[in-house]
Amino acid sequence: MLDWGRQLDSERVWVIEDVRNVSGSLERFLLDRGETIVRLPPRLMADLRRGARERGKSDPIDALAIARAALREGVDTLPTARLAGPELEIRLLGLHRERLVDSRTRLINELRWELHDLWPEWEIPGKALVHPKWQTKVTRRLQSAEPSVRVRIARDMIRRIRELTRTIGALREELAALVAQTAPQLLAETGIGVLLAAKFIGEIAGIDRFSSDAQLARPAGCAPIPRLIRADRPPPP
């Protein structure tokens, strides 16, 4: 889909029907690749669907209705999401760091079993192996252990874990500098650190496209769903 879109024009906009968090994964995929996305409220498509020449409902019919509605309303007037420059770098670095953290967690879980088989009496506190101090302690004990296949595998695991830990730390420092340059006001908020601020910058993709707190919450699927209130019925409690 992305290759097809890039063949059409060097300047393009992707219009996505705003179906809350359902369309979020597609939007994030496009944002990660520097694309521009416009969210179209479904209510703007109602008239076009009713007036469609083709009967029924299908993906091609919906896609055409979305495009026509966006052109009718004016693409420039609709909320636009785009990451460029430092914002895109923050998102890509944050995603890369998260992938490395996941890889390190898997390795640590496997290493724990290897260490348990080698020394069942050795109690290692939870989450201890993410800290360099404990990684050094494990490395030294493995270096002094009798050589075996299990010891060799554990040595390789701890070596990779230490490499990942250094890279993860370096990425955090790089993110700290970018976030401080791009959105220092976020870091000034109580409870928001570098990683959370980087997450906000990468996920929001331009705060100006949201006119209220509820609109900002909708892409995450945590905004309240409006209830239909009829004129002849009292509002729900």
Side-chain angles (χ1 to χ4, degrees):
M1 180 193 68
L2 186 60
D3 290 339
W4 169 78
R6 286 173 173 173
Q7 291 172 8
L8 298 178
D9 200 318
S10 58
E11 295 184 7
R12 59 196 165 272
V13 173
W14 299 85
V15 183
I16 302 177
E17 184 178 8
D18 189 356
V19 284
R20 297 180 178 270
N21 59 318
V22 177
S23 56
S25 59
L26 176 58
E27 180 176 312
R28 288 189 290 272
F29 171 83
L30 293 171
L31 283 174
D32 291 344
R33 284 145 188 88
E35 298 293 316
T36 301
I37 299 95
V38 168
R39 277 179 169 260
L40 183 74
R43 60 181 173 78
L44 297 179
M45 297 170 52
D47 294 339
L48 287 171
R49 279 183 173 134
R50 284 194 295 267
R53 295 181 179 179
E54 298 181 60
R55 302 183 63 181
K57 178 178 172 60
S58 67
D59 289 340
I61 292 175
D62 282 350
L64 186 58
I66 291 169
R68 285 173 173 169
L71 291 174
R72 182 194 64 192
E73 297 296 322
V75 174
D76 295 337
T77 67
L78 297 171
T80 302
R82 188 172 190 274
L83 289 173
E87 290 84 0
L88 181 58
E89 292 178 2
I90 288 172
R91 176 166 176 82
L92 295 178
L93 289 172
L95 290 173
H96 181 50
R97 182 188 174 278
E98 289 178 2
R99 286 190 293 266
L100 295 184
V101 169
D102 290 341
S103 299
R104 184 181 64 177
T105 300
R106 287 193 298 271
L107 273 174
I108 286 176
N109 291 337
E110 294 171 5
L111 176 61
R112 277 185 168 275
W113 280 109
E114 297 295 339
L115 296 176
H116 176 74
D117 289 339
L118 288 168
W119 302 290
E121 73 287 351
W122 193 15
E123 294 187 6
I124 301 176
K127 299 183 179 180
L129 295 181
V130 302
H131 301 295
K133 180 179 178 180
W134 266 93
Q135 293 171 8
T136 301
K137 186 182 297 186
V138 170
T139 300
R140 289 174 178 172
R141 184 157 187 176
L142 287 169
Q143 288 174 345
S144 60
E146 291 292 330
S148 67
V149 172
R150 193 178 300 280
V151 169
R152 191 177 71 194
I153 292 173
R155 288 175 180 171
D156 183 64
M157 285 182 176
I158 193 62
R159 178 180 60 81
R160 295 175 186 272
I161 290 171
R162 298 183 78 175
E163 290 176 355
L164 285 170
T165 300
R166 287 191 291 269
T167 304
I168 290 168
L171 286 171
R172 189 190 184 285
E173 294 301 319
E174 189 173 356
L175 282 170
L178 286 172
V179 170
Q181 171 190 351
T182 305
Q185 68 276 16
L186 280 177
L187 297 177
E189 294 290 334
T190 302
I192 298 182
V194 171
L195 299 180
L196 189 55
K199 191 78 171 175
F200 285 158
I201 294 170
E203 291 289 339
I204 291 174
I207 192 63
D208 294 338
R209 65 188 177 116
F210 301 106
S211 60
S212 67
D213 295 344
Q215 286 190 6
L216 175 59
R218 286 186 67 184
C222 58
I225 300 176
R227 295 183 61 176
L228 179 63
I229 301 176
R230 290 175 48 177
D232 59 339
R233 293 183 182 177

